[in-house]
Amino acid sequence: MTDQVEELQKEALAALQQADSLETLQQLRTQYLGKKGRIQGLMAQLKQLPPEEKPLFGQKVNACKQTLEDALEQRQAELQDQTLENQLKAERVDITLAGDAMRIGTRHPLMLIWKELEDLFVGMGFTEAEGPEVELDYYNFELANIPKDHPARDMQDTFYIDPNTLLRTQTTAMQMRELERAGGHIPVKVFCPGKVYRRDDDDMTHSHQFMQCEGLVVGEHITLGDLKGHMQYVADTIFGKGRRIRFRPSYFPFTEPSVEVDVSCPFCNGEGCSICKHSGWIEISGSGMVHPHVLEMNGFDPEKITGYAFGFGLERLAMLKYGINDIRSFYTNDVRFLKNFERFE
Ligand code: DAH
């Protein structure tokens, strides 16, 4: 009888060693140690044995049961370790592989020009001002010396919201707000970049929405010479050293005298090319000395206080600087266009 126990133990241990999954192990557990399993079967035979053999046989079966339980547990631990190891191997991430580059947007060309002007003006001690795009007629026109019946209103086709409210047509509206805020106190030294709107039909050079940057300096002994020096500095910074600038007489209701600022063409160095229409010059700004009436309306004494002001078109500067020929490119959000400006970041 005891041979039978040894036989079973041998067989079971061999099967356990061969079990290669936790499921098979579970089946073996049921097969040998379960309620209707083989060990239980041996125990059942105990009854039929003569009394003197019973204790020894009982001990043998119990020892066998214990051995199998221990072996099962050990094999189970081995298989669990193996499963975990396999899983780790399968899920291993090779951190030395090249990754997918994250696509990061680039700065918009208008923002590049804005930042450049910002650095330039802040470096000169100017402060930056912001204002509403939905503006009062009063700041956009009235305070800028353009009363209701003034013919200069025709220079800028306007989106009116109601008779007193409009989408600002020029950042000059901000110039007026800043002059009013100063309440006659000097110095005033601000620049105001922002969007403006006009009822234009969009084409290569016109857009119903575009950006301007206004500049304003008010104080004692401010002259047209200061304006010229400032414009020279802007031209050197934006287009590179060696640019020449020139003033052409012009007309704006809020400046007297008024001038247009030209810069020697950065493409042909003033020789004449298709971009400068063979003139050697490119217009970059409208400007002039703040009109005495504008100073007066805002509480300054024009006998003692003078100032200069100017306005840049940011699209125009960006088009010249980056060689862009269609103003609509700024607003169509074509990533192929926008990606070109990565190198200017
Ligand atoms: N506001 C003018 C325009 O939109 C540009 C301009 C001209 C601004 C002369 C100024 C200035 O500040 O002094 O055409």
Side-chain angles (χ1 to χ4, degrees):
M1 280 305 280
T2 52
D3 288 353
Q4 219 180 328
V5 178
E6 267 158 35
E7 197 70 11
L8 185 135
Q9 179 167 323
K10 232 163 116 191
E11 179 198 315
L13 287 177
L16 282 181
Q17 265 330 297
Q18 273 168 23
D20 57 1
S21 73
L22 291 168
E23 291 82 53
T24 322
L25 212 60
Q26 188 52 37
Q27 279 165 16
L28 291 174
R29 185 193 295 278
T30 320
Q31 189 182 337
Y32 290 98
L33 298 167
K35 272 193 195 138
K36 293 179 187 157
R38 303 269 300 274
I39 296 281
Q40 210 47 44
L42 288 176
M43 281 301 205
Q45 294 178 25
L46 198 65
K47 292 185 211 133
Q48 292 145 26
L49 288 180
E52 65 279 9
E53 285 182 30
K54 276 185 185 174
L56 186 67
F57 184 75
Q59 272 172 24
K60 281 248 174 197
V61 174
N62 273 335
C64 171
K65 190 178 171 198
Q66 191 58 50
T67 308
L68 291 189
E69 270 170 1
D70 292 349
L72 232 144
E73 216 152 282
Q74 195 192 332
R75 187 70 189 136
Q76 180 169 334
E78 276 169 22
L79 283 175
Q80 270 167 348
D81 281 356
Q82 226 172 58
T83 313
L84 184 66
E85 211 168 293
N86 289 344
Q87 194 180 349
L88 287 176
K89 249 189 220 153
E91 292 174 5
R92 184 145 102 205
V93 177
D94 184 352
I95 55 164
T96 64
L97 281 177
D100 288 334
M102 256 238 272
R103 295 259 237 125
I104 299 175
T106 52
R107 209 169 250 170
H108 193 278
L110 289 174
M111 290 301 114
L112 289 173
I113 287 285
W114 179 328
K115 288 279 157 241
E116 220 171 318
L117 289 174
E118 206 170 50
D119 284 351
L120 188 156
F121 289 131
V122 169
M124 291 177 80
F126 281 66
T127 45
E128 185 167 356
E130 250 187 303
E133 289 169 32
V134 177
E135 182 56 283
L136 293 173
D137 181 282
Y138 179 66
Y139 292 108
N140 197 82
F141 288 130
E142 296 275 332
L143 263 192
N145 213 16
I146 318 176
K148 286 253 167 357
D149 52 358
H150 198 287
R153 288 205 178 206
D154 291 345
M155 287 163 76
Q156 300 174 6
D157 258 336
T158 309
F159 287 114
Y160 273 95
I161 288 162
D162 63 42
N164 295 317
T165 322
L166 44 77
L167 293 184
R168 70 178 173 200
T169 61
Q170 49 183 357
T171 44
T172 305
M174 272 309 294
Q175 184 190 142
M176 299 312 146
R177 281 182 176 272
E178 286 301 307
L179 277 175
E180 184 187 67
R181 204 163 66 90
H185 295 290
I186 53 164
V188 179
K189 220 174 160 189
V190 288
F191 69 105
C192 329
K195 288 184 197 134
V196 297
Y197 302 84
R198 294 194 193 167
R199 278 181 39 189
D200 261 331
D201 288 328
D202 293 0
D203 60 25
M204 272 178 88
T205 51
H206 295 87
S207 169
H208 63 281
Q209 175 202 306
F210 56 103
M211 292 191 84
Q212 289 188 329
C213 180
E214 192 83 4
L216 171 70
V217 178
V218 175
E220 280 175 318
H221 314 300
I222 306 282
T223 69
L224 204 63
D226 297 316
L227 171 63
K228 195 158 189 187
H230 191 164
M231 291 298 110
Q232 179 70 59
Y233 185 54
V234 172
D236 285 343
T237 310
I238 303 282
F239 297 110
K241 281 236 173 297
R243 296 296 102 219
R244 280 167 296 133
I245 61 159
R246 73 175 185 188
F247 280 178
R248 270 181 301 111
S250 185
Y251 172 76
F252 299 103
F254 35 86
T255 43
E256 182 57 38
S258 302
V259 294
E260 310 250 10
V261 184
D262 290 347
V263 58
S264 58
C265 178
F267 298 98
C268 60
N269 223 0
E271 301 276 310
C273 66
S274 59
I275 293 172
C276 61
K277 302 204 178 81
H278 302 282
S279 69
W281 295 95
I282 282 174
E283 183 206 314
I284 57 162
S285 170
S287 58
M289 299 303 289
V290 182
H291 198 294
H293 188 223
V294 171
L295 288 172
E296 219 165 37
M297 279 193 288
N298 285 291
F300 294 91
D301 176 0
E303 294 295 327
K304 294 192 189 122
I305 306 294
T306 51
Y308 66 79
F310 54 85
F312 293 108
L314 294 197
E315 283 80 357
R316 186 166 173 74
L317 290 184
M319 285 167 92
L320 289 170
K321 175 152 184 165
Y322 304 123
I324 299 164
N325 55 17
D326 192 331
I327 196 170
R328 292 169 294 196
S329 320
F330 291 112
Y331 298 105
T332 41
N333 284 335
D334 184 335
V335 280
R336 290 167 302 179
F337 167 77
L338 296 172
K339 256 189 101 53
N340 287 310
F341 301 94
E342 244 166 2
R343 62 207 153 104
F344 296 106
E345 292 269 330

